[in-house]
């Protein structure tokens, strides 16, 4: 599912894993929208996500989430 939003960006729901997560992805956790501000590679394919709020989340290699990703229009 994709939707146009003001500013010429396209918002798209995507399934993400530790291998595909990107800065700027928005993940809904516990009813809160958390935007990925930074991420760090951990052993065995895991990644530690640092949200803009300062909270941390570790995604293991097989963890899957649905996130909203903003795509710029060209």
């Amino acid at each position: 599912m994709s939707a146009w939003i003001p500013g010429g960006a396209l918002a798209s729901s995507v399934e993400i894993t530790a291998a595909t997560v990107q800065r700027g992805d928005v993940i809904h956790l516990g009813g809160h929208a958390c935007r990925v501000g930074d991420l760090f590679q951990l052993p065995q394919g895991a990644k530690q996500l640092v949200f803009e709020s300062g909270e941390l989340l570790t995604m293991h290699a097989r963890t899957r989430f649905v996130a909203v990703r903003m795509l710029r229009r060209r």
Side-chain angles (χ1 to χ4, degrees):
M1 176 181 185
S2 299
W4 288 102
I5 60 170
L10 180 68
S12 179
S13 294
V14 294
E15 184 177 271
I16 60 170
T17 64
T20 62
V21 64
Q22 298 177 4
R23 287 181 182 88
D25 285 348
V26 178
I27 304 169
H28 289 269
L29 300 169
H32 293 76
C34 302
R35 184 180 306 270
V36 177
D38 204 0
L39 38 92
F40 300 97
Q41 184 70 45
L42 298 175
Q44 300 176 349
K47 284 199 180 151
Q48 184 175 50
L49 310 182
V50 181
F51 295 116
E52 289 180 349
S53 63
E55 297 170 301
L56 302 174
L57 175 74
T58 300
M59 281 185 76
H60 296 279
R62 291 184 282 178
T63 303
R64 296 186 184 278
F65 289 117
V66 174
V68 175
R69 183 169 288 165
M70 307 303 274
L71 305 171
R72 293 265 180 224
R73 184 172 62 163
R74 292 181 189 225

